[in-house]
Amino acid sequence: MGGLVAAIGVADWMTGIYLSVAVFYLIPIALGVIWLGPRAGVAVAVCSSLVRLVGDAVVIPSDLPPVWIWWNSLVALMFYAAVVWSLGAHLTLYRRLEERVAERTRALNAALVARGKVERDLRDTGARERALIGRELHDDLCQHLVATAFAAQVLSERIGSHAV
């Protein structure tokens, strides 16, 4: 990133004080924040402001740079610091959101697994109950029907023997 800041500084120096390329310093600052964190972004912002100050001071032929050069460098530093803070805050929020999404996805997957287990248990319980009812119907009802058929036959024979 130092090379990128130096290249932008050379371009800033070549354009002079009438055309600023200070906005391009945001590229290495943003890369520093994204790749290395907010502290690196602040360091790159400070380096960028110093490179800009030196570049402007070299262009102005005097022993002491005018106040407006210092002021512009300070304002640029404050702007860069605000960008570092804002980008750092957004990245932190984004990473927290990704973590929450991952947590909720894990919880949803666990709930789906639990739901599948409950569905299997219900299906198995229903099949066992149907089989039990079928056995009870077969065993109990069939015996009752056979007993009723025998009773009906005996009754039919008694009625038939009384009628003659």
Side-chain angles (χ1 to χ4, degrees):
M1 273 180 271
L4 186 56
V5 170
I8 295 169
V10 168
D12 195 15
W13 170 74
M14 290 174 61
T15 59
I17 59 172
Y18 299 109
L19 179 64
S20 177
V21 293
V23 71
F24 294 107
Y25 288 111
L26 291 174
I27 295 169
I29 292 170
L31 292 176
V33 172
I34 292 168
W35 290 343
L36 303 173
R39 288 183 186 199
V42 168
V44 174
V46 169
C47 289
S48 297
S49 294
L50 289 175
V51 166
R52 181 167 188 242
L53 176 68
V54 169
D56 286 346
V58 169
V59 172
I60 303 293
S62 69
D63 294 334
L64 188 62
V67 174
W68 61 268
I69 290 178
W70 291 95
W71 177 256
N72 287 345
S73 295
L74 181 63
V75 168
L77 179 61
M78 292 300 132
F79 176 72
Y80 296 154
V83 168
V84 167
W85 174 80
S86 176
L87 189 57
H90 280 85
L91 285 172
T92 300
L93 290 174
Y94 177 76
R95 289 179 181 134
R96 285 182 187 165
L97 182 62
E98 279 185 337
E99 290 172 8
R100 288 181 65 191
V101 167
E103 287 173 11
R104 292 193 177 179
T105 301
R106 284 191 296 273
L108 180 61
N109 287 336
L112 287 173
V113 168
R115 180 179 176 183
K117 184 182 180 306
V118 168
E119 286 176 356
R120 282 189 304 277
D121 289 347
L122 282 173
R123 200 172 35 244
D124 294 345
T125 301
R128 281 193 307 268
E129 288 298 317
R130 282 191 300 276
L132 180 65
I133 290 171
R135 279 193 302 274
E136 285 180 11
L137 283 175
H138 181 266
D139 295 345
D140 294 341
L141 189 60
C142 285
Q143 290 176 4
H144 288 291
L145 287 175
V146 168
T148 304
F150 283 138
Q153 187 178 8
V154 168
L155 187 58
S156 170
E157 288 175 3
R158 281 187 186 171
I159 292 177
S161 67
H162 284 277
V164 176

